[in-house]
Amino acid sequence: MSAEKWQSFFVRRFHEQNHTHGISLYIHLPFCESLCTYCGCNKKITTNHKVEEEYLLAIEKEWKIYRKLMRQTPVIRELHLGGGTPTFFSPLNLKRLMEVILKESIVHPQHEFSIEGHPNNTTSEHLKMLYTLGFRRISYGVQDNDPVVQQAIRFYLCEF
Ligand code: SF4
């Protein structure tokens, strides 16, 4: 699909939804510190947390492009942070991301904000920050509760 076609599709769908139901946003945060052997996700394995800054700048830039196309204030009803491992990002950087998205947006009174967590790096600081930002749902993609299987697939519940 060409960029022009994508933009006109986006503008049409945005205006169909925004004032009637509100819009749903999915934001992909692709980094993980280690690779689970079953993984089929779009991810980047790294322990270098400097990538957080670069990635946030790219999202801010992309969001500005969409905001320009919207030409009216977005009403955000659903927002999901997926990955990758969204909690690879620090609580402060997740706050910064949400501030960028919610600045000059309207949060729908029945909004649902959700996030994918990883038991090995989702801290209580993450959870407190996410709660403050309006998140009420977290999902953990635990594949099996058997520690032997967890070890085999490199997805441990050791700090859960
Ligand atoms: S945490 Fe998820 S995205 Fe990251 S490597 Fe494991 S399965 Fe893949």
Side-chain angles (χ1 to χ4, degrees):
M1 189 186 285
S2 67
E4 291 73 26
K5 263 194 176 167
W6 166 251
Q7 287 181 0
S8 77
F9 175 78
F10 170 81
V11 169
R12 184 161 46 85
R13 292 295 288 145
F14 173 78
H15 286 101
E16 280 169 10
Q17 290 294 314
N18 196 44
H19 280 310
T20 49
H21 298 97
I23 62 166
S24 300
L25 284 181
Y26 172 80
I27 302 174
H28 193 74
L29 301 173
F31 304 108
C32 300
E33 287 193 339
S34 61
L35 177 66
C36 307
T37 52
Y38 61 87
C39 182
C41 306
N42 179 1
K43 81 290 180 187
K44 169 99 180 148
I45 307 297
T46 181
T47 52
N48 175 14
H49 281 261
K50 287 189 184 147
V51 295
E52 292 181 39
E53 176 67 20
E54 201 179 326
Y55 198 77
L56 286 179
L57 289 173
I59 292 182
E60 285 172 31
K61 200 168 158 192
E62 188 177 358
W63 180 240
K64 272 187 198 152
I65 295 171
Y66 281 114
R67 285 293 283 112
K68 220 171 182 179
L69 290 171
M70 289 173 189
R71 295 205 196 99
Q72 58 179 242
T73 308
V75 180
I76 299 179
R77 180 154 191 162
E78 291 165 347
L79 183 146
H80 183 71
L81 302 182
T85 305
T87 47
F88 175 95
F89 285 72
S90 69
L92 278 180
N93 275 340
L94 290 177
K95 179 172 184 261
R96 174 175 151 195
L97 169 65
M98 290 300 294
E99 283 171 352
V100 166
I101 301 297
L102 298 183
K103 189 176 152 207
E104 296 170 21
S105 295
I106 296 168
V107 176
H108 193 282
Q110 292 168 324
H111 67 280
E112 280 188 17
F113 292 173
S114 56
I115 185 169
E116 281 173 51
H118 192 302
N120 283 349
N121 71 2
T122 304
T123 63
S124 53
E125 285 71 30
H126 279 111
L127 296 177
K128 280 179 206 155
M129 178 63 78
L130 290 164
Y131 191 87
T132 307
L133 294 169
F135 286 76
R136 295 294 182 271
R137 181 176 296 173
I138 187 163
S139 59
Y140 292 103
V142 178
Q143 307 297 305
D144 198 298
N145 286 321
D146 183 337
V148 177
V149 176
Q150 285 176 21
Q151 196 156 13
I153 62 176
R154 296 166 54 86
F155 186 99
Y156 311 109
L157 294 179
C158 52
E159 293 170 23
F160 202 43

